Amino acid sequence: MNSIRPLDLSAVDQLGPRARKCVYWQTDGQVGQDEPGDPEFEKEAWISHVSLEWGVCGQIASYGDRSTGAAFYAPPGMVPRAACFPTSPVGSDAILLAGLSIEHGAPGGALTSLLDAVVVDLRRRGIKAIEAFGVTSGDTGDVLSRDTCGSESCIAPTGFLVEHGFTVVAEHETHPRLRLDIESEHLWKADVERALDQLFAERGFATRRLGVLSGATARHTVDPRAGRQSR
């Protein structure tokens, strides 16, 4: 079963190689910028700065002793990439989801577990909304990183975000901006889901199917028979 822990300064070494090296969100993509001398150092420096100035800025997923994914989030003013999208700026009352990715071979459900953990943390800190830039096409044009990871590797697919409660607030062909207003009911369902996962694990049962009661899917679901959103 996936386990989730907050990303604080003592947990940086627990990031997987993909999350540790990606500096897509920590750069602003300006043409002619120097290549990063050490992406891992840049990423750690950003985590340290945001953690000291604002607080916890990430969640780490693991399976056993192996890191399986990570999510990063911060006020948009602390994320250099935030102003580079055609659907910027992020709402003044929202925190930006600045990176959501899984490591090679991660088990199913890792992204959902990470997103739920982000929502729970922000709700407890009094944050009212999360915004994210989605990706809807493999052709991302000039929206690239200095480490050449590309936006498709650390931006959640638009479909995933919509299925997990986000709504599009700024349309765009490849990079729409989406928003999730955090509600107490949403968090209650997320907490129940985690409690059920823990109970199943303790009793030795296979982990139940993710997404059935997810706090991140409480507001919107996808009806496979109709091929459209239902509420």
Side-chain angles (χ1 to χ4, degrees):
M1 183 180 73
N2 282 311
S3 62
I4 309 290
R5 67 156 295 173
L7 172 62
D8 54 29
L9 297 180
S10 66
V12 173
D13 288 341
Q14 296 180 27
L15 288 170
R18 184 176 186 180
R20 185 81 184 267
K21 294 178 180 179
C22 176
V23 291
Y24 177 80
W25 293 96
Q26 289 70 46
T27 59
D28 59 14
Q30 294 298 313
V31 176
Q33 254 188 356
D34 293 335
E35 292 293 326
D38 184 348
E40 292 189 24
F41 176 80
E42 283 199 13
K43 190 62 168 281
E44 185 170 346
W46 181 83
I47 293 169
S48 297
H49 169 69
V50 178
S51 297
L52 292 171
E53 294 291 328
W54 181 68
V56 171
C57 61
Q59 301 288 329
I60 304 174
S62 59
Y63 191 84
D65 59 356
R66 182 170 64 91
S67 175
T68 57
F72 301 93
Y73 47 97
M78 292 183 162
V79 183
R81 182 69 57 167
C84 300
F85 287 84
T87 47
S88 297
V90 174
S92 60
D93 63 338
I95 293 302
L96 176 63
L97 183 64
L100 181 65
S101 63
I102 56 175
E103 301 291 331
H104 178 71
L111 285 180
T112 295
S113 298
L114 283 165
L115 185 56
D116 273 346
V118 172
V119 172
V120 169
D121 178 49
L122 293 179
R123 173 64 178 83
R124 288 172 178 165
R125 293 162 70 175
I127 305 300
K128 302 300 183 184
I130 308 172
E131 292 196 7
F133 296 104
V135 60
T136 60
S137 168
D139 179 12
T140 54
D142 295 330
V143 186
L144 297 173
S145 171
R146 287 188 294 157
D147 64 354
T148 69
C149 70
S151 62
E152 72 280 358
S153 68
C154 55
I155 298 182
T158 300
F160 171 84
L161 294 171
V162 170
E163 290 171 7
H164 288 73
F166 284 75
T167 57
V168 175
V169 293
E171 298 277 359
H172 189 264
E173 182 179 358
T174 59
H175 289 294
R177 179 164 51 88
L178 301 95
R179 179 181 175 95
L180 176 66
D181 291 306
I182 302 174
E183 302 173 358
S184 58
E185 178 185 5
H186 174 107
L187 269 298
W188 175 81
K189 292 182 179 180
D191 287 338
V192 170
E193 180 175 65
R194 266 183 293 280
L196 287 174
D197 281 336
Q198 183 65 34
L199 178 62
F200 271 58
E202 291 173 354
R203 298 297 174 86
F205 296 112
T207 303
R208 61 189 177 76
R209 184 165 63 89
L210 287 169
V212 175
L213 187 62
S214 172
T217 58
R219 296 178 59 210
H220 297 73
T221 59
V222 174
D223 185 344
R225 296 168 299 179
R228 58 182 176 83
Q229 289 185 16
S230 60
R231 295 174 183 260

